[in-house]
Amino acid sequence: KIEKARSLPGEILQNANIPIEGLEIKDGVPLINGRPVSNLSEGEKLGLCVSVAVQREGSLSLLLIDGMEKLDTASRNKMYKDLKKKGVQFIASRVTDEDTLTVTEL
């Protein structure tokens, strides 16, 4: 039963239709662009989490994304653009070296 419990997530993923770019299942292990999730950079993990969160259209009205400093400016702007294009409302926070709080409406 323990071995079944260990292999079950891989079996479920193998048969699931999850439209995440670069996702493949090999021997029951989810890989993103050929790498295990644990080997992704912090920015790639953040992007993966956002991709999973917005899969069901209409299910989310607001997405809170913490840690946007993990992405470079170009990647951050691309994520913002992609979320707006999908109609997702979001609040994104990031650490900066500025002394004041800045709120930006995109």
Side-chain angles (χ1 to χ4, degrees):
K1 290 183 180 184
I2 292 173
E3 196 57 44
K4 180 65 175 176
R6 288 182 180 148
S7 66
L8 192 57
E11 291 176 28
I12 292 169
L13 284 172
Q14 193 73 40
N15 298 320
N17 180 18
I18 305 172
I20 301 294
E21 186 176 329
L23 174 67
E24 65 177 307
I25 309 301
K26 186 172 184 181
D27 299 326
V29 177
L31 304 174
I32 304 295
N33 298 322
R35 297 180 303 171
V37 173
S38 61
N39 289 1
L40 298 178
S41 71
E42 291 299 312
E44 289 170 318
K45 288 177 186 176
L46 180 63
L48 175 61
C49 290
V50 170
S51 294
V52 170
V54 300
Q55 284 304 307
R56 289 186 49 189
E57 291 185 25
S59 65
L60 294 176
S61 59
L62 181 64
L63 182 61
L64 173 60
I65 310 168
D66 187 26
M68 289 300 286
E69 70 275 2
K70 296 172 184 173
L71 299 177
D72 60 78
T73 301
S75 298
R76 190 170 51 246
N77 289 336
K78 181 182 182 317
M79 183 179 288
Y80 294 157
K81 182 180 176 184
D82 291 346
L83 288 168
K84 284 185 71 171
K85 184 177 180 181
K86 291 179 181 180
V88 176
Q89 297 179 61
F90 60 94
I91 298 171
S93 68
R94 65 185 171 102
V95 175
T96 70
D97 56 0
E98 297 175 12
D99 292 336
T100 59
L101 172 67
T102 304
V103 177
T104 306
E105 184 177 337
L106 301 175

